[in-house]
């Protein structure tokens, strides 16, 4: 290609960077395809020296297609965090195969790939933060779009990165579980307002690999790693809901997860694990009663009949003491009604622990009703004597 033609191509590249949906794209692509090595370098340098603009993502897509400049090479050439963030934001809304290329290049074992991994991670972190503030801050669920361009193993790494960014934060502590017990119903109501939003579709994408999500939760619990109860509950809710949609009226994965957690509570006497067990069971039963039955059914089978499932006398006493210590954090009258009325079979000489717990449940219900009445109203629930 002669000097005049290459200069024309450089000029056309700059023009396309500044505008969208220009005609004759096929002709432009054909010219790029027939460039020699030195000519490609000239066009590449022209692109690198232009400010990022409305047409840049489309031009970069064509340059990558024609082996002139790849998205990973371009991103690694930048030295401005703000510019990287701006470009990544654009790639989350368009030209998803470029985002897929970055993902594919990032998860390799070399220094440059690690740099790209960090760029992607910070981009995803910032976007999740923005989606929490505005669930439609971007026009489309990019995870579903980029999945079309990735292998399952590559998509799994992206999903895992999002789960960790969403769930794992160092500022969560034991008090977060107490807050979750008090606010679980409120959080569930808030989740209803998210339905149909980009954030809701993205969250659903994160639990399509159900086993991976449960494995992550299990690992966090086992290693005492702090995680967000709010988003763990939202993801569990979606997972339970889709058990029906996918044709599974019972989800053995969720059942096994809760059974294992209950066994751990009994074996270790862990208060935090008990809180998680109750939170998870309440969320799953609220989302889909075909998985575990109603909350009352699950509670009876789990706590009401624990003596028949091999729980020893001292373990029974410890478990009842844990339930009793948890009472001040409870705010849900329906849940408390279940705890106050469901029969619990006790080992010999342990029935006083059950009676004491039920009496405290009724007293706490009365306190909540009184407080609700004085503040302008509360849900009234009739208790069985």
């Amino acid at each position: 290609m002669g000097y005049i033609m290459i200069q024309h191509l450089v000029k056309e590249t700059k023009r396309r960077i500044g505008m969208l949906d220009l005609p004759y794209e096929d002709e432009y692509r054909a010219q790029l395809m027939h460039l020699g090595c030195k000519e490609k370098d000239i066009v590449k340098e022209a692109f690198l020296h232009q400010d990022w603009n409305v047409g840049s993502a489309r031009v970069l897509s064509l340059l990558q297609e024609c082996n002139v400049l790849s998205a990973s090479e371009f991103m690694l050439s930048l030295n401005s965090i703000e510019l990287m963030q701006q470009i990544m934001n654009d790639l989350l809304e368009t030209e998803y195969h470029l985002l897929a290329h970055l993902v594919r290049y990032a998860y390799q074992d070399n220094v440059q790939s690690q740099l790209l991994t960090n760029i992607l991670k910070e981009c995803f972190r910032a976007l999740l933060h923005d989606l929490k503030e505005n669930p439609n801050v971007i026009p489309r669920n990019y995870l579903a779009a980029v999945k079309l361009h990735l292998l399952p193993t590559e998509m799994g790494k992206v999903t895992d990165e999002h789960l960790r960014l969403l769930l794992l934060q160092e500022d969560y502590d034991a008090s977060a579980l107490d807050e979750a017990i008090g606010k679980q119903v409120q959080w569930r109501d808030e989740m209803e307002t998210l339905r149909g939003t980009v954030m809701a579709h993205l969250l659903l994408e994160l639990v399509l690999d159900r086993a991976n999500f449960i494995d992550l939760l299990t690992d966090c619990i086992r290693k005492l790693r702090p995680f967000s109860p709010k988003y763990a509950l939202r993801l569990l809710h979606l997972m339970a809901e889709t058990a029906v949609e996918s044709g599974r009226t019972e989800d053995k994965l969720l059942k096994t997860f809760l059974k294992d957690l209950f066994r751990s509570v009994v074996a270790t006497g862990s208060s935090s694990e008990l809180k998680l067990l109750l939170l998870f069971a309440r969320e799953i039963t609220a989302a889909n009663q075909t998985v575990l039955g109603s909350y009352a059914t699950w509670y009876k089978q789990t706590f009401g009949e624990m003596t028949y499932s091999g729980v020893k006398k001292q373990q029974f006493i410890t478990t009842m003491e844990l339930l009793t210590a948890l009472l001040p954090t409870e705010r849900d009258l329906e849940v408390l009604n279940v705890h106050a009325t469901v029969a619990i079979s006790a080992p010999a000489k342990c029935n006083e622990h059950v009676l004491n717990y039920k009496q405290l449940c009724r007293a706490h219900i009365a306190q909540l009703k009184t407080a609700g009445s004085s503040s302008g109203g509360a849900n009234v629930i009739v208790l069985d004597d």
Side-chain angles (χ1 to χ4, degrees):
M1 184 178 290
Y3 175 79
I4 295 178
M5 289 298 295
I6 192 64
Q7 290 304 311
H8 171 75
L9 190 56
V10 167
K11 183 178 180 180
E12 179 66 10
T13 298
K14 294 178 180 179
R15 189 172 77 96
R16 288 181 175 275
I17 288 172
M19 301 181 71
L20 280 174
D21 302 323
L22 289 178
Y24 306 113
E25 184 176 284
D26 288 342
E27 288 80 356
Y28 176 66
R29 179 190 288 106
Q31 289 179 312
L32 292 174
M33 290 291 291
H34 291 90
L35 292 177
C37 292
K38 291 184 178 179
E39 294 162 338
K40 286 182 179 180
D41 287 341
I42 293 172
V43 175
K44 178 172 73 174
E45 288 301 315
F47 182 87
L48 292 174
H49 285 87
Q50 290 295 301
D51 291 336
W52 187 263
N53 211 325
V54 292
S56 296
R58 184 58 194 155
V59 173
L60 180 57
S61 174
L62 294 168
L63 295 180
Q64 178 169 288
E65 180 184 343
C66 299
N67 297 315
V68 175
L69 175 67
S70 69
S72 56
E73 183 182 0
F74 172 64
M75 290 297 292
L76 291 171
S77 73
L78 303 174
N79 53 19
S80 166
I81 299 298
E82 292 77 13
L83 180 56
M84 290 178 184
Q85 189 68 55
Q86 177 191 345
I87 293 169
M88 286 301 304
N89 287 343
D90 283 355
L91 298 186
L92 292 172
E93 298 182 20
T94 185
E95 305 298 339
Y96 293 107
H97 65 285
L98 293 181
L99 179 60
H101 168 85
L102 293 175
V103 168
R104 187 173 297 113
Y105 188 86
Y107 295 104
Q108 297 180 17
D109 190 18
N110 59 65
V111 175
Q112 287 188 320
S113 291
Q114 185 58 51
L115 290 172
L116 202 53
T117 301
N118 293 337
I119 293 171
L120 285 172
K121 184 175 182 178
E122 290 310 309
C123 170
F124 294 148
R125 187 197 308 278
L127 182 61
L128 287 172
H129 177 271
D130 291 344
L131 281 168
K132 290 176 184 179
E133 299 295 323
N134 177 2
N136 284 316
V137 70
I138 55 175
R140 187 179 176 189
N141 170 19
Y142 61 90
L143 288 182
V146 77
K147 182 166 64 173
L148 301 175
H149 304 280
L150 292 173
L151 296 173
T153 53
E154 295 167 340
M155 188 62 201
K157 292 176 181 177
V158 178
T159 300
D160 196 55
E161 187 74 79
H162 280 71
L163 281 173
R164 292 179 181 279
L165 289 171
L166 191 66
L167 292 175
L168 305 185
Q169 298 185 28
E170 298 302 326
D171 56 348
Y172 292 112
D173 54 28
S175 64
L177 294 179
D178 292 338
E179 179 189 24
I181 291 172
K183 292 186 175 181
Q184 185 170 14
V185 175
Q186 175 189 328
W187 288 349
R188 195 178 301 140
D189 292 341
E190 290 173 1
M191 184 178 173
E192 288 300 313
T193 67
L194 289 178
R195 291 195 182 276
T197 64
V198 172
M199 181 60 157
H201 290 303
L202 187 144
L203 292 178
L204 185 57
E205 197 75 34
L206 296 181
V207 293
L208 291 180
D209 186 346
R210 306 154 78 81
N212 181 59
F213 171 55
I214 293 299
D215 286 345
L216 177 59
L217 273 186
T218 302
D219 189 62
C220 289
I221 295 168
R222 181 168 53 85
K223 295 180 179 178
L224 303 178
R225 186 168 185 181
F227 62 90
S228 165
K230 183 175 185 177
Y231 282 95
L233 291 172
R234 286 186 173 178
L235 291 169
L236 270 177
H237 191 105
L238 290 171
M239 185 174 170
E241 276 187 338
T242 54
V244 169
E245 294 175 11
S246 58
R248 292 185 288 264
T249 55
E250 291 187 352
D251 195 314
K252 293 182 179 179
L253 189 63
L254 287 172
K255 281 188 170 183
T256 301
F257 173 57
L258 290 191
K259 284 181 180 179
D260 290 344
L261 188 53
F262 174 70
R263 292 190 187 102
S264 181
V265 169
V266 171
T268 64
S270 169
S271 175
S272 61
E273 289 189 8
L274 174 64
K275 293 172 185 176
L276 288 171
L277 174 67
L278 295 174
L279 285 166
F280 293 162
R282 292 168 189 178
E283 201 62 39
I284 293 168
T285 54
N288 179 6
Q289 292 194 4
T290 62
V291 177
L292 301 172
S294 66
Y295 179 70
T297 299
W298 173 84
Y299 182 81
K300 178 175 177 55
Q301 292 173 346
T302 304
F303 290 94
E305 300 173 1
M306 59 179 160
T307 302
Y308 306 129
S309 60
V311 175
K312 298 177 182 178
K313 180 177 179 179
Q314 187 55 50
Q315 291 174 328
F316 178 90
I317 293 172
T318 300
T319 302
M320 293 307 303
E321 289 174 346
L322 290 174
L323 284 170
T324 302
L326 192 60
L327 267 177
T329 65
E330 296 281 12
R331 293 291 180 272
D332 189 333
L333 292 177
E334 292 186 17
V335 162
L336 284 166
N337 183 46
V338 169
H339 289 215
T341 57
V342 168
I344 297 178
S345 298
K349 300 181 180 180
C350 289
N351 202 47
E352 68 274 12
H353 293 281
V354 176
L355 295 176
N356 179 59
Y357 176 64
K358 288 177 174 290
Q359 184 178 10
L360 290 173
C361 282
R362 288 184 167 87
H364 191 49
I365 289 171
Q367 288 179 340
L368 291 176
K369 285 184 176 181
T370 301
S373 298
S374 63
S375 63
N379 293 329
V380 177
I381 295 177
V382 178
L383 297 179
D384 297 330
D385 292 327

